[in-house]
Amino acid sequence: MNGMASDHNTSSQEEYLPHYLQKEDPFTSKLSREADIIAGFYLTVIGILSTLGNGYVIFMSSKRKKKLRPAEIMTVNLAVCDLGISVVGKPFSIISFFSHRWVFGWMGCRWYGWAGFFFGCGSLITMTAVSLDRYLKICHLSYGTWLKRHHAFICLAIIWAYATFWATVPFAGVGSYAPEPFGTSCTLDWWLAQASVSGQAFILSILFFCLLFPTAVIVFSYVKIILKVKSSTKEVAHYDTRIQNSHILEMKLTKVAMLICAGFLIAWIPYAVVSVWSAFGQPDSVPIQFSVVPTLLAKSAAMYNPIIYQVIDCKFACCRSGGLKTLQKKNSLRKSRMYTISSHKDSTAMNETQLEV
């Protein structure tokens, strides 16, 4: 009987033995060499575009850093997170795909997994903060009167502390980072949930605090914004031109935030679904060739945001300049009898005031 119990326990442990502890090399690519080369080229293009795009956003923002509003500061932080993913993480996976194996060992694997989770979590929590800011700004107008720049920097400190905590928790012995089943990338060790109750508790905590809760806040915020906009459109139409233009600018910022969040979630949700299935579904039931597609899609998330900035910025600039024309005409009528230099100074001051609304 004891022998049978021992055999049963051994078979149970083997049933939950993760792929990276099996006899074969966990860092050898399980894909064809051609597939690895294609994935390597794909990530190279994504990495270059993401680095250039987010670097451009940060550079342009640094030129007017003293004039950035709280919402814009948060957007810059999102660009920093995306740039971090591109610069710190993507070179590891690109080299490994072209090498047809992960070439950086376990230390490199854990570093890569930490960096990806850290910047990814930072991006999602930043978008959560942006969505709350948009919700309060549109649905609770008094919020905007007391929000200052130092509040945004306090929020940034909380975001980075939050991301650091959850990315570092696996090193405290309650979790880990491990190679992906296809061998040329690393991620959070989702397979711990197959091995023990403590592993399940760890994975469920990560899912709730780093995915489900932030996503729920984002969805709640934008649903409330959409309902508020529908109910207040007619009211805004009766206000004067200055209030209408301010409302239009706020809605443009809200559209940017909504598109950014949508792009991020679209890129990451397939990967999250596959990861959850790997953690709580049948062991090794996700085909290796299928698991690589959501991973590559998630790695492209950092590229979308600069594109969204540029597309919306064109409309934003047109809207902003159109709103200024009315103020310029009024200003010129009031100052028509004054000499040219004084008129120019007053017009410029009025323009700068409108841009800061």
Side-chain angles (χ1 to χ4, degrees):
M1 292 294 292
N2 292 335
M4 293 177 61
S6 177
D7 292 341
H8 178 72
N9 292 334
T10 303
S11 63
S12 299
Q13 293 175 357
E14 290 177 355
E15 181 181 355
Y16 294 108
L17 191 66
H19 62 276
Y20 56 85
L21 293 180
Q22 297 174 6
K23 293 181 179 180
E24 57 184 287
D25 185 357
F27 296 130
T28 299
S29 176
K30 309 307 185 296
L31 305 175
S32 66
R33 185 172 294 276
E34 292 76 13
D36 276 338
I37 292 175
I38 293 173
F41 275 115
Y42 169 81
L43 289 181
T44 300
V45 173
I46 294 296
I48 292 174
L49 293 177
S50 176
T51 301
L52 294 177
N54 288 290
Y56 175 77
V57 170
I58 296 171
F59 172 74
M60 294 303 295
S61 299
S62 66
K63 296 176 66 174
R64 51 185 296 270
K65 57 185 177 182
K66 294 184 178 180
K67 296 182 179 181
L68 292 176
R69 292 177 292 179
E72 294 173 317
I73 292 173
M74 304 303 293
T75 302
V76 173
N77 189 65
L78 184 60
V80 171
C81 292
D82 291 340
L83 184 64
I85 292 175
S86 301
V87 174
V88 176
K90 282 188 173 61
F92 285 80
S93 54
I94 290 172
I95 293 173
S96 295
F97 273 115
F98 282 126
S99 300
H100 198 49
R101 66 173 285 111
W102 180 263
V103 297
F104 301 100
W106 276 102
M107 288 297 295
C109 181
R110 295 186 178 98
W111 160 251
Y112 177 85
W114 180 91
F117 190 26
F118 173 72
F119 288 114
C121 182
S123 295
L124 182 57
I125 303 304
T126 300
M127 286 185 287
T128 305
V130 170
S131 68
L132 279 176
D133 173 76
R134 294 293 86 205
Y135 163 69
L136 294 172
K137 185 75 173 181
I138 300 298
C139 301
H140 302 277
L141 299 179
S142 60
Y143 160 80
T145 61
W146 64 266
L147 181 67
K148 306 299 181 184
R149 280 169 56 93
H150 70 271
H151 293 121
F153 290 114
I154 293 174
C155 187
L156 290 184
I158 295 173
I159 290 171
W160 287 109
Y162 192 93
T164 300
F165 172 79
W166 285 108
T168 310
V169 161
F171 294 127
V174 296
S176 182
Y177 295 100
E180 299 267 16
F182 52 86
T184 48
S185 181
C186 294
T187 185
L188 192 71
D189 191 348
W190 301 98
W191 302 272
L192 286 174
Q194 297 282 356
S196 64
V197 175
S198 61
Q200 292 178 359
F202 167 71
I203 295 299
L204 288 174
S205 299
I206 291 291
L207 287 172
F208 179 78
F209 289 104
C210 300
L211 179 63
L212 297 179
F213 177 70
T215 302
V217 173
I218 291 171
V219 172
F220 167 81
S221 299
Y222 290 124
V223 168
K224 296 293 287 186
I225 288 172
I226 292 172
L227 295 176
K228 180 66 176 180
V229 169
K230 286 185 177 180
S231 64
S232 62
T233 301
K234 294 182 179 180
E235 298 177 7
V236 174
H238 297 291
Y239 296 156
D240 60 30
T241 303
R242 180 186 176 92
I243 295 178
Q244 290 180 12
N245 291 334
S246 176
H247 179 77
I248 291 173
L249 296 181
E250 292 296 339
M251 291 312 303
K252 289 295 181 182
L253 289 174
T254 303
K255 288 180 180 179
V256 171
M258 291 178 68
L259 287 174
I260 289 172
C261 291
F264 184 90
L265 294 177
I266 290 172
W268 278 96
I269 283 179
Y271 178 78
V273 171
V274 171
S275 298
V276 170
W277 184 259
S278 298
F280 299 102
Q282 292 295 323
D284 301 325
S285 59
V286 179
I288 293 178
Q289 292 74 12
F290 178 78
S291 66
V292 71
V293 176
T295 302
L296 295 178
L297 179 62
K299 293 179 185 298
S300 68
M303 181 188 68
Y304 303 148
N305 296 341
I307 298 175
I308 294 173
Y309 300 149
Q310 295 304 314
V311 171
I312 298 297
D313 188 58
C314 295
K315 297 180 180 179
F316 181 82
C318 292
C319 169
R320 184 172 57 189
S321 61
L324 288 175
K325 288 180 181 179
T326 303
L327 291 176
Q328 289 173 347
K329 289 180 181 180
K330 290 181 179 180
N331 191 59
S332 62
L333 289 174
R334 293 173 183 170
K335 306 296 180 180
S336 59
R337 295 183 180 181
M338 297 180 66
Y339 51 92
T340 304
I341 297 177
S342 176
S343 176
H344 176 72
K345 290 181 178 179
D346 291 339
S347 178
T348 302
M350 180 66 73
N351 290 346
E352 292 178 350
T353 301
Q354 174 65 14
L355 283 173
E356 291 299 317
V357 174

